[in-house]
Amino acid sequence: MKPRKIFLLPGDGIGVEIMAEARKFIAYMNDELKLGFICEEGLVGGAAYNAHGMPISDGDMRRALAADAILLGSVGGPEWDGVSYDLRPEAGLLRLRKDLQLFANLRPAICYPALASASSLKSDLVEGLDILIVRELTGGVYFGEPKEIIDLGEGQKRAIDTQIYETYEVVRIARVGFELARTRRGHVTSMEKRNVMKTGLLWNEVITAIHAARYQDVILSHMLADAGGMQLVRAPKQFDVIVTDNLFGDLLSDVAAMLTGSLGMLPSASLGSLDEISGKRRAMYEPVHGSAPDIVGKGIANPIAMIASLAMCLRYSFALNIEADRLEKAISAVLDDGLRTADIYVQGMQKVSTSEMGDAILEKFRLISA
Ligand code: NAD
């Protein structure tokens, strides 16, 4: 069996606390399920800045590039507020995404039945919700040039951002979306603004062509992104996989996130291209939330986003689908038992710490795997 190499980057703040929980699962899978994970560990964000004067060192970048998958906690915190823009903790994340060419960001919005009442929508609209938002991550208006503010004189300025997409960028994200839909309920909804944007027209044209050529077994729908936002809060369960660009994906995935309750529950994956020779895809897995400076060191952070990110890692980097399903079932079972960290606590439930939540999920995972 080939070793499965995971590079762990706990980062800052609660990243360190929730990574400690993820490590328990990796140790269990190695010791008892003999899955052969080899873990190295590095520094990213403020921790790397303190140690090396940069948000990720060249040595750790090399180790990240050599790994099969990266598991990251979170970066940032007030300690580094005064650090120059290029060296701020978040720049470590951006470098990882850029150098690993992670162009597809996957954000599942899953509403565990036990948490349906924590959603801002009515329970019956979100109970059992399972959407996957596939957001293009390395192109579009956040990166297009020119990107500048020009001083026009007489108190006037002109700010310019440029939205650019080329065919290959839409092709590769479309393929990720269609492939994933095949492993789910077989429905892709593509969202853009073809009514007012040229990039929307191209996006729509390319997705339609790829679908006709290679993915006719998947149902494809098109929706204008603004209508999509409305539908997400009106009837979210109509969606399976949503494929959209960087800007719309940023907004729509945050909207979908709020349907499910707490930030502490949301995992994510960022994937690169499939290497046809090795069959591997570069990938990084991380919770959606940040370093939560307001609760750091209190032992109350919710580790579920981190553990669910590990489940995504098992599924997408190592094709360990059975183990990934079991891990997700273990999370759901612990919530059904009424265990809650402070962020998702409601009266009548049992309040637990970060490590108690991790241990309880591990125990369920052990039972389900036996
Ligand atoms: P945040 O996500 O860190 O926290 C927002 C709120 O959610 C806080 O009240 C926090 O306590 C709570 N929260 C977040 N995760 C939680 C968890 N697992 N369990 C319980 N409660 C949780 O966002 P913020 O406060 O805006 O940012 C703090 C720092 O994190 C900043 O430096 C920001 O730049 C950075 N950040 C990093 C990432 C990342 O690493 N990917 C993402 C977002 C923000």
Side-chain angles (χ1 to χ4, degrees):
M1 186 178 69
K2 272 195 182 164
R4 300 179 163 115
K5 286 193 273 179
I6 307 184
F7 190 41
L8 305 179
L9 290 168
D12 308 317
I14 62 163
V16 177
E17 300 167 32
I18 56 178
M19 186 63 83
E21 300 311 306
R23 266 196 227 101
K24 292 178 185 171
F25 288 81
I26 296 172
Y28 163 72
M29 289 189 283
N30 273 348
D31 295 346
E32 292 182 42
L33 305 182
K34 309 291 177 209
L35 290 179
F37 292 110
I38 294 181
C39 294
E40 285 196 59
E41 196 156 326
L43 299 174
V44 68
Y49 178 81
N50 289 354
H52 306 295
M54 54 208 296
I56 183 160
S57 67
D58 291 342
D60 277 344
M61 265 318 300
R62 275 195 296 278
R63 293 202 283 166
L65 284 159
D68 297 318
I70 299 163
L71 199 59
L72 186 138
S74 57
V75 298
E79 187 186 336
W80 300 282
D81 277 352
V83 170
S84 73
Y85 188 75
D86 288 352
L87 297 177
R88 71 199 191 286
E90 290 75 7
L93 265 188
L94 296 181
R95 181 168 176 204
L96 280 161
R97 286 179 189 156
K98 184 163 168 280
D99 289 10
L100 294 160
Q101 295 179 23
L102 305 174
F103 65 86
N105 185 228
L106 276 47
R107 279 180 55 171
I110 295 171
C111 186
Y112 295 97
L115 293 186
S117 60
S119 170
S120 48
L121 295 192
K122 291 186 196 109
S123 298
D124 59 316
L125 287 182
V126 292
E127 198 176 323
L129 179 79
D130 179 3
I131 308 178
L132 182 63
I133 300 202
V134 179
R135 164 189 169 196
E136 200 291 324
L137 199 60
T138 53
V141 74
Y142 293 165
F143 296 96
E145 296 285 348
K147 186 179 206 48
E148 58 191 348
I149 298 179
I150 303 166
D151 197 332
L152 301 175
E154 299 178 356
Q156 292 297 308
K157 291 181 181 177
R158 178 182 298 143
I160 303 174
D161 291 294
T162 308
Q163 164 95 338
I164 302 178
Y165 271 109
E166 296 187 14
T167 306
Y168 78 94
E169 294 176 287
V170 187
V171 168
R172 63 185 186 179
I173 195 79
R175 289 184 62 176
V176 170
F178 285 123
E179 304 278 347
L180 288 168
R182 275 184 177 157
T183 68
R184 295 168 49 92
R185 299 190 296 282
H187 184 188
V188 165
T189 307
S190 166
M191 295 191 187
E192 31 60 22
K193 289 279 288 173
R194 63 187 178 281
N195 53 342
V196 284
M197 295 172 78
K198 293 290 181 194
T199 46
L201 272 178
L202 180 72
W203 185 278
N204 184 278
E205 183 186 304
V206 174
I207 299 250
T208 305
I210 296 279
H211 175 249
R214 301 178 72 142
Y215 298 102
Q216 288 200 24
D217 53 313
V218 176
I219 298 166
L220 171 65
S221 314
H222 296 282
M223 210 176 258
L224 294 175
D226 51 341
M230 195 249 293
Q231 289 298 333
L232 260 180
V233 289
R234 195 188 71 85
K237 283 195 253 181
Q238 69 185 283
F239 297 111
D240 176 17
V241 175
I242 295 174
V243 178
T244 190
D245 77 8
N246 201 344
L247 173 64
F248 298 138
D250 197 1
L251 307 181
L252 294 169
S253 58
D254 270 14
V255 171
M258 273 328 290
L259 304 177
T260 68
S262 161
L263 258 180
M265 302 290 302
L266 296 164
S268 78
S270 302
L271 308 179
S273 293
L274 191 65
D275 182 321
E276 304 288 349
I277 297 167
S278 69
K280 284 187 177 166
R281 220 185 247 291
R282 291 200 195 286
M284 180 159 85
Y285 303 87
E286 56 181 315
V288 167
H289 62 73
S291 58
D294 53 332
I295 59 166
V296 73
K298 295 183 179 165
I300 59 170
N302 186 344
I304 292 181
M306 183 84 251
I307 296 167
S309 298
L310 176 60
M312 291 185 87
C313 172
L314 299 179
R315 178 172 292 120
Y316 296 122
S317 282
F318 301 112
L320 293 167
N321 294 342
I322 294 173
E323 289 76 5
D325 286 347
R326 287 176 175 163
L327 190 44
E328 286 162 357
K329 276 200 189 97
I331 294 172
S332 196
V334 165
L335 294 170
D336 287 344
D337 284 352
L339 271 63
R340 301 284 188 273
T341 42
D343 57 314
I344 50 172
Y345 177 76
V346 284
Q347 216 177 6
M349 298 292 143
Q350 183 187 344
K351 200 185 270 187
V352 293
S353 68
T354 307
S355 65
E356 285 167 340
M357 180 59 98
D359 290 343
I361 297 170
L362 182 57
E363 192 46 40
K364 288 279 184 208
F365 185 47
R366 199 189 292 271
L367 284 173
I368 297 172
S369 304

